[in-house]
Amino acid sequence: MTCIPKSKAELRYLYRLAPTMLAYVVCLVIAKRTFHHHHPTGLAAYLLAVLPALPLVGSLVIVGLYIAEESDEFQRSILIQSMLWGLGGALSVGTIWGFLEDFANAPHISIFYVYVVFWIFMGLSQPFVRMRYR
């Protein structure tokens, strides 16, 4: 996917993703401030902790909608291959880091970062996947 939308599916993807990312930032600020100032416990703490994750889950749904709506099979194939590289990279890094924590006393890293690592690997893989078809 390039920066300038070329298809209606890409445009819809951007129109869906932008408010979702804004919702993520708002939910994250609300959760951080509430935990910092009010120290919720029990069910309220669980619900508040999940709040910022919901837009991130929504972003994955939006990518799935894009894949379903994109009529250009080449673009769809590039995205799916990149997502597979992202999944492979995130699972590999998560597995390696888990063993490092277990056996080498490496510092604990929040599992939230699996989401970030997935997008990093996916973004890095896209140009290489595209190069295969030049």
Side-chain angles (χ1 to χ4, degrees):
M1 192 176 313
T2 59
C3 295
I4 301 170
K6 293 179 180 166
S7 69
K8 289 181 180 179
E10 282 186 54
L11 197 59
R12 282 193 297 269
Y13 167 79
L14 292 175
Y15 282 139
R16 290 172 181 153
L17 189 63
T20 305
M21 291 295 98
L22 180 63
Y24 166 69
V25 171
V26 169
C27 291
L28 184 63
V29 169
I30 289 170
K32 281 196 162 269
R33 285 184 179 226
T34 305
F35 273 103
H36 182 75
H37 294 293
H38 302 291
H39 311 290
T41 59
L43 182 61
Y46 280 96
L47 292 174
L48 195 59
V50 168
L51 187 64
L54 296 177
L56 297 181
V57 172
S59 71
L60 296 172
V61 172
I62 289 168
V63 172
L65 289 171
Y66 169 73
I67 290 171
E69 294 172 349
E70 179 57 66
S71 59
D72 186 337
E73 291 182 17
F74 177 72
Q75 294 298 330
R76 197 170 42 220
S77 175
I78 295 291
L79 181 61
I80 290 170
Q81 289 179 53
S82 300
M83 289 183 76
L84 289 173
W85 280 104
L87 284 171
L91 289 173
S92 297
V93 169
T95 302
I96 291 168
W97 195 260
F99 280 108
L100 287 171
E101 281 186 24
D102 286 347
F103 295 123
N105 294 324
H108 176 70
I109 296 178
S110 172
I111 199 162
F112 158 78
Y113 289 104
V114 170
Y115 181 85
V116 176
V117 170
F118 163 74
W119 287 107
I120 290 171
F121 273 102
M122 184 187 154
L124 291 175
S125 69
Q126 272 195 347
F128 295 105
V129 171
R130 285 185 186 282
M131 279 193 315
R132 288 181 51 207
Y133 297 101
R134 289 190 180 185

